[in-house]
Amino acid sequence: MSDAYVRKERADQLAQAAEKLFAAGVMSHSGHANLSARLEGERLLLTPGFVRGLRPEQLATVDFEGQVLEGELQSVSAEIIAMHSAVYKARPNVGAIIHTHSPSATAFAVAHRPLPCRTEPMLRFGQAEDVPVVPWGPRGSDVSVRGIADVLERRPTTAAVLLANHGLLVFGPDAAATAHLVVAIEESAEAEIAAAAIGGAVDFPPGAQEAVRAAIARVTS
């Protein structure tokens, strides 16, 4: 496949993922988010500074060092290239990244509390463990980027992190899978907060992860 074909395909996927997030109602009042997809040669597609009504042709191509190779970025997006690049460098299997200020997940980030995995959608969509918290650092700063890299090294199987006092960062094999996990995490955070009013959420029984995997295998085999 040509580079232009791959770029168009992944730009389409990011636009569809952004639409899904709004349709699912997991966005903050401002609608703030940034989405990216990996390209060959240490490059990525990145949203230009807004995602509501995003069109594929509005995405910019940048390299991991922050240079804009094609398209345009607002300064607010240029600040977060290093954050996305850090994840791609640490996780060669990651194909897409989504950052949001989803309200309930952000509540856990503001409280500096990991989000437990206590809902089945989190198990099914790739986060079968607590979502860890990355210590706060100024947006796009070396402190913030190092914090993300450190948590990814310590937690090699997590597919999401909470950015302290900031929001949610989720990553997966492609844009669709990543968007599914964003929705699952936000729903789980909502459920955790609601359950606290009636005695608190309860952990899965032992073997739950294996049981879910077996159920998925039976359906897909």
Side-chain angles (χ1 to χ4, degrees):
M1 290 184 290
S2 70
D3 185 72
Y5 178 87
V6 171
R7 186 187 188 283
K8 181 181 185 307
E9 179 183 54
R10 292 181 186 169
D12 288 343
Q13 291 169 352
L14 286 176
Q16 291 164 10
E19 183 178 2
K20 174 181 173 60
L21 296 176
F22 282 102
V26 301
M27 301 296 283
S28 61
H29 295 303
S30 68
H32 174 80
N34 46 74
L35 294 76
S36 71
R38 185 194 294 269
L39 297 172
E40 294 294 329
E42 295 197 339
R43 297 175 302 144
L44 59 121
L45 279 173
L46 185 65
T47 47
F50 55 87
V51 294
R52 194 187 301 272
L54 179 70
R55 300 192 307 275
E57 62 270 20
Q58 294 172 314
L59 289 153
T61 302
V62 303
D63 65 23
F64 284 5
E65 302 308 313
Q67 181 179 357
V68 179
L69 306 175
E70 183 178 349
E72 296 181 358
L73 286 180
Q74 296 178 6
S75 59
V76 69
S77 285
E79 291 177 354
I80 52 83
I81 294 172
M83 176 177 75
H84 287 249
S85 297
V87 178
Y88 288 125
K89 289 176 182 178
R91 298 286 177 84
N93 61 327
V94 164
I97 299 169
I98 297 176
H99 165 57
T100 71
H101 294 172
S102 300
S104 295
T106 300
F108 279 82
V110 170
H112 293 206
R113 288 185 56 186
L115 173 64
C117 177
R118 292 188 178 125
T119 61
E120 192 164 327
M122 278 182 64
L123 284 178
R124 287 182 173 271
F125 292 120
Q127 185 65 22
E129 59 187 278
D130 294 357
V131 181
V133 179
V134 174
W136 183 81
R139 172 189 166 99
S141 67
D142 289 344
V143 172
S144 175
V145 172
R146 283 198 305 271
I148 292 168
D150 288 346
V151 171
L152 295 184
E153 183 176 1
R154 287 188 281 107
R155 297 287 297 273
T157 58
T158 191
V161 296
L162 295 166
L163 305 176
N165 302 95
H166 190 141
L168 174 67
L169 187 67
V170 181
F171 28 95
D174 54 50
T178 306
H180 282 310
L181 184 53
V182 171
V183 175
I185 287 173
E186 178 62 7
E187 289 180 341
S188 187
E190 289 177 357
E192 282 283 332
I193 293 168
I198 54 173
V202 177
D203 290 338
F204 281 112
Q209 182 177 351
E210 292 74 16
V212 169
R213 286 176 175 169
I216 294 171
R218 285 195 298 271
V219 173
T220 57
S221 60

